[in-house]
């Protein structure tokens, strides 16, 4: 028997089509598994809306949980005018929610012949190519005790396939036997889940079609719907982990055990004005010097000011820009919501395709967000940088009393490398000092080294001995232990 | 005796084609109603394959579905109606005096 060629249908969900290598397999049934509030309805609506808006493909929505009026209202908030599409004959609802006050009893064996007849009628009437059912558990909840005969689930999905439409069938993962029946009967399985700082999406199964594995971060954006933070290139994460990359500062490379790891995420923490932006600029210059493209996302300073500061350190940022090695983009922390900043950063990365990305500084967002919002942003930022396969460097202001702000502990835990900058009282004077607190799965130097800054940049000198009581080697070791205690068990995207 | 001009109970039975299950359901509801209501009811059988728009208007999902349209509130009785007790309860005929007579036989 000849192999069946699977063609893909672009969903219109930014990033999803990338991890799905083109979209959902056309003409097949995709089971969309997710708990309440993980975005199943948004996903389903967006697949249909994308078909109408981008491809002129009509759609049928089988409403079992929320009545059509509510689906219309929620969709309008995401920018989709379903009522207008209904008027234009491009969208039809099959309403299975049942009118209020209706009582239903089950008195014997039944099939879903009426539903299939209605769906077929709606598909023929609109010429629909896309179909969504929201949700399978809601459908059977309306039928007595909610127990579905296996053959009816199988027949329903086969019926959708026979209509030639591409369908998305939502179902709660805790809907017991329903999931066990629908899972094997569906061609594809996509899973939505709550994740730290938001939601994630994973393509678990695409029968006979390629897709990218692993969970990816999902952002839902008012007025635009859902977006998936997809990796820029699939191959970039398969760089050999043993290869080290120059950070841009040779002494820091030695402290880090011989350079930074490719695809790593570096957190640079320290009090304001000590040299975090300088270290970030050297990191960018190091990348540009290797012929890599670099992107700097500045919440602190305007582009012009960054250029002036860099010139004072002897780094010609404008030349890097002229050579198309660097792009500096400044954004006002309060100018947009955190998820809007994130989508902007994703768009910039996709357009500019950098190897290195700097975000300076994350702490500027503290004033614009709640603790939860800030930490969600940080987690999503980490996910984005990892998924794009870039070397990321994020700076964050640290209070005088400790290496990082309590809001940043999770960030420090998920970073591959943590660099701490401090003022130390040592040998009778205040010195600027830098230490590597963490370097994932590898040796790194422990303790501080003093550094100076002049018009040729940052000069890291000898290890600091006899550090004062304020913050000595012992304290640095204690902070390393704190960090180890907060180490996540599984690192996302690895 | 001719059917009552305004029957006490108005029923609609939605089925998919002329299947065995459809014929059984129709026969069962007729037998029950003849016995309990005499001629004081009206039953219309709707094939959803012929009239999908009627199934759409009544929001029918499963077949067979027996809908009691009159009296209100609307009742949906889903299945082949093999469970007589559930059908009678659904139609509010379970506590009819006729039921006692039926049991006595």
């Amino acid at each position: 028997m000849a192999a069946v060629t699977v063609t893909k249908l672009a969903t219109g969900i930014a990033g999803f089509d990338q991890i799905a290598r083109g979209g959902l397999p056309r003409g097949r049934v995709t089971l969309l598994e997710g708990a309440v509030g993980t975005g199943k309805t948004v996903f389903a609506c967006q697949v249909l809306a994308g078909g109408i808006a981008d491809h002129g493909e009509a759609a049928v929505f089988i409403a079992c949980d929320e009545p059509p009026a509510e689906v219309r209202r929620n969709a309008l908030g995401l920018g989709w005018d379903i009522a207008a599409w209904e008027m234009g004959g491009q969208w039809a609802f099959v309403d299975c929610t049942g009118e209020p006050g209706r009582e239903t009893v089950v008195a014997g064996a039944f099939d879903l012949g009426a539903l299939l007849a209605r769906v077929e009628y709606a598909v023929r009437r609109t010429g629909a190519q896309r179909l969504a059912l929201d949700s399978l558990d809601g459908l059977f909840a309306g039928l007595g005790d909610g127990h579905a005969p296996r053959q009816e689930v199988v027949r329903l999905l086969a019926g959708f396939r026979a209509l030639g439409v591409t369908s998305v069938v939502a179902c709660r993962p805790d809907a017991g036997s329903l999931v066990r029946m629908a899972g094997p009967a569906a061609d594809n399985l996509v899973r939505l889940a709550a994740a730290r700082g938001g939601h994630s999406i994973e393509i678990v199964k695409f029968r006979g079609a390629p897709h990218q594995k692993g969970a990816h971060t999902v952002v839902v954006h008012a007025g635009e719907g859902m977006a998936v933070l997809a990796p820029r290139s699939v191959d970039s994460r398969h760089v050999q982990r043993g290869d080290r990359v120059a950070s841009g500062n040779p002494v820091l490379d030695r402290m880090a055990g011989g350079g930074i790891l490719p695809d790593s995420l570096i957190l640079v923490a320290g009090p304001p004005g000590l040299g975090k932006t300088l270290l970030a600029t050297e990191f960018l210059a190091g990348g540009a010097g290797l012929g890599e493209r670099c992107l700097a996302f500045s919440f602190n300073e305007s582009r012009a000011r960054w250029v002036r500061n860099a010139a004072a350190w002897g780094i010609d940022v404008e030349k890097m820009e002229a050579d198309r090695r660097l792009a500096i983009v400044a954004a006002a922390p309060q100018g947009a919501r955190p998820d809007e900043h994130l989508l902007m950063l994703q768009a910039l990365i996709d357009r500019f395709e950098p190897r290195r990305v700097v975000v300076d500084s994350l702490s500027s967002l503290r004033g614009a967000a709640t603790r939860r919002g800030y930490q969600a942003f940080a987690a999503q930022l980490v996910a984005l940088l990892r998924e794009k396969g870039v070397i990321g460097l994020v700076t964050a202001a640290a209070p005088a009393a400790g290496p990082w702000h309590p809001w940043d502990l999770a960030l420090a835990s998920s970073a591959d490398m943590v660099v701490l900058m401090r003022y130390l009282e040592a040998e009778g004077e205040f010195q600027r000092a830098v230490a590597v607190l963490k370097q994932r799965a590898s040796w790194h130097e422990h303790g501080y080294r003093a550094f100076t800054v002049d018009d040729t940049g940052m000069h890291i000198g000898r290890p600091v001995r006899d550090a004062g009581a304020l913050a000595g080697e012992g304290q640095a070791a204690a902070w390393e232990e704190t960090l180890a205690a907060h180490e996540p068990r599984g690192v996302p995207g690895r | 005796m001719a059917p009552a001009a305004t029957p006490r109970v108005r029923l609609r039975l939605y089925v998919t084609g002329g299947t065995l299950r459809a014929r059984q359901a129709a026969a069962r509801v007729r037998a029950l109603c003849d016995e309990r209501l005499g001629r004081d009811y009206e039953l219309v059988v709707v094939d959803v394959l012929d009239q999908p728009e009627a199934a759409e208007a009544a929001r029918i999902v499963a077949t067979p579905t027996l809908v009691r349209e009159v009296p209100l509130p609307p009742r949906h009785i889903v299945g082949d109606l093999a469970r007589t007790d559930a059908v009678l309860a659904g139609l509010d005929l379970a506590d009819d005096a006729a039921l006692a007579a039926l049991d006595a036989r």
Side-chain angles (χ1 to χ4, degrees), chain A residues 27-42:
Chain A
R28 302 203 171 177
V29 178
T30 299
L31 187 68
L32 183 64
E33 193 187 287
V36 174
T38 51
K40 295 192 298 294
T41 307
V42 175

Side-chain angles (χ1 to χ4, degrees), chain A residues 93-99 101-115 117-118 121 139 143, chain B residues 16 21 48 52-53 55-56 58-64 73-83 86-87:
Chain A
F93 276 109
V94 173
D95 183 1
C96 298
T97 57
E99 60 268 308
R102 174 214 275 184
E103 292 169 38
T104 299
V105 293
V106 174
F110 64 88
D111 57 53
L112 296 173
L115 176 62
R118 290 167 65 190
Y121 175 62
L139 174 67
L143 291 170
Chain B
T16 306
R21 190 178 274 171
V48 298
E53 66 285 3
E56 182 60 47
R59 300 193 212 170
I60 306 299
V61 171
T63 45
R75 284 279 165 72
H76 283 213
I77 302 160
V78 172
D80 59 12
L81 311 182
R83 286 172 49 201
V87 181

Side-chain angles (χ1 to χ4, degrees), chain A residues 211-295:
Chain A
H211 66 89
Q212 192 156 331
K213 293 182 173 55
H216 300 271
T217 303
V218 169
V219 202
V220 177
H221 191 42
E224 282 174 35
M226 179 181 276
V228 176
L229 304 182
R232 185 184 70 218
S233 138
V234 178
D235 301 327
S236 65
R237 43 169 79 199
H238 300 305
V239 178
Q240 250 193 308
R241 301 286 315 171
D243 297 343
R244 296 287 184 128
V245 180
S247 70
N249 187 304
V251 185
L252 185 67
D253 288 346
R254 285 210 299 278
M255 294 169 72
I260 51 180
L261 297 162
D263 303 356
S264 66
L265 181 80
I266 304 161
L267 172 68
V268 178
L274 191 57
K276 294 191 299 297
T277 305
L278 166 58
L279 188 65
T281 309
E282 293 205 335
F283 168 78
L284 295 170
L290 293 171
E292 297 171 355
R293 291 158 79 87
C294 305
L295 173 70

